[in-house]
Amino acid sequence: DQQVKQNSPSLSVQEGRISILNCDYTNSMFDYFLWYKKYPAEGPTFLISISSIKDKNEDGRFTVFLNKSAKHLSLHIVPSQPGDSAVYFCAASAYGQNFVFGPGTRLSVLP
Amino acid sequence: GAGVSQSPSNKVTEKGKDVELRCDPISGHTALYWYRQSLGQGLEFLIYFQGNSAPDKSGLPSDRFSAERTGGSVSTLTIQRTQQEDSAVYLCASSTHRQGGNEAFFGQGTRLTVV
């Protein structure tokens, strides 16, 4: 049973528009959430995180929203750029435990 | 270097052979994780080391898989009697001890191909 789900395997967005990547989780013990970006043949790189005490965290073009009651988080990229094309992984953890990753969403930003 | 280092970057091995994959975490990071990514799949948790605590081995897929972390630093993931389904990218990550949350930094991965 997947504890972290990303139901969209892929997403295509026009350059300059907003990209919204969604993530759902089932474990109510998760209290820390992260987004990673992965290019082919490279390890995942950390993008942005959010603690369960917040509902929004913003870093430049990237904003993560957390809805604890719905066990849902989303990553917004505004404006989207071709260099944002990558696979995006959502991850969650409970204190002192490993990170559980979702299956990833492949984002393609079209010029 | 300052990042997580993994070696080898690529490994081709014959079915039935043993392989060892190495991970050098970021200096000072107390937590170390092994994940693997099979073709077209997400990141599958394998094992987690945190300081001197007993490792969380709950993700290891079979008893052919084992990992050690010597001196709280370098880790080795060993796969015995490799099978073709073991072919994947094996990723190592490290982080500081989480207090309110810290991100994990990943290495480039070791691409293992079992032929």
Side-chain angles (χ1 to χ4, degrees):
Chain A
D1 181 35
Q2 277 189 330
Q3 295 189 67
V4 178
K5 302 175 185 179
Q6 293 176 258
N7 292 324
S8 298
S10 63
L11 174 69
S12 292
V13 171
Q14 284 295 129
E15 181 179 4
R17 299 287 183 97
I18 181 171
S19 296
I20 300 177
L21 297 104
N22 292 305
C23 177
D24 296 283
Y25 61 96
T26 58
N27 188 342
S28 58
M29 298 299 293
F30 288 148
D31 61 355
Y32 191 61
F33 306 90
L34 310 91
W35 284 94
Y36 281 83
K37 174 172 151 179
K38 186 178 185 301
Y39 293 118
E42 294 184 11
T45 54
F46 169 73
L47 200 55
I48 193 168
S49 64
I50 189 166
S51 161
S52 60
I53 63 173
K54 295 186 174 181
D55 55 18
K56 176 183 175 181
N57 190 25
E58 190 172 356
D59 183 2
R61 297 186 296 113
F62 302 91
T63 303
V64 57
F65 296 92
L66 175 62
N67 182 334
K68 288 191 293 289
S69 61
K71 295 191 179 68
H72 175 84
L73 64 156
S74 61
L75 174 68
H76 292 211
I77 307 173
V78 186
S80 302
Q81 299 173 355
D84 296 329
S85 297
V87 177
Y88 288 79
F89 291 98
C90 170
S93 73
Y95 178 72
Q97 296 183 14
N98 62 289
F99 294 96
V100 179
F101 283 82
T105 296
R106 181 177 300 278
L107 173 66
S108 299
V109 180
L110 308 172
Chain B
V4 176
S5 177
Q6 290 187 247
S7 61
S9 54
N10 280 285
K11 176 73 176 177
V12 180
T13 190
E14 291 182 352
K15 179 181 171 181
K17 300 275 188 173
D18 298 352
V19 294
E20 282 190 354
L21 311 179
R22 177 187 168 102
C23 173
D24 283 275
I26 293 173
S27 178
H29 279 190
T30 57
L32 187 147
Y33 315 77
W34 282 97
Y35 291 85
R36 75 175 175 182
Q37 185 178 24
S38 302
L39 188 62
Q41 302 297 310
L43 294 168
E44 175 189 5
F45 167 72
L46 297 177
I47 189 169
Y48 164 49
F49 296 90
Q50 173 56 274
N52 294 322
S53 302
D56 176 358
K57 303 180 182 180
S58 60
L60 294 178
S62 78
D63 59 8
R64 296 186 295 105
F65 288 72
S66 62
E68 290 185 343
R69 189 177 184 193
T70 54
S73 181
V74 172
S75 177
T76 302
L77 177 69
T78 302
I79 310 173
Q80 295 178 310
R81 305 181 302 281
T82 51
Q83 303 295 313
Q84 287 186 330
E85 63 262 28
D86 299 334
S87 297
V89 176
Y90 289 80
L91 291 156
C92 175
S94 70
S95 71
T96 57
H97 181 60
R98 259 189 12 95
Q99 302 231 358
N102 297 85
E103 65 272 19
F105 294 85
F106 280 85
Q108 297 275 58
T110 294
R111 181 175 297 279
L112 175 66
T113 304
V114 181
V115 296

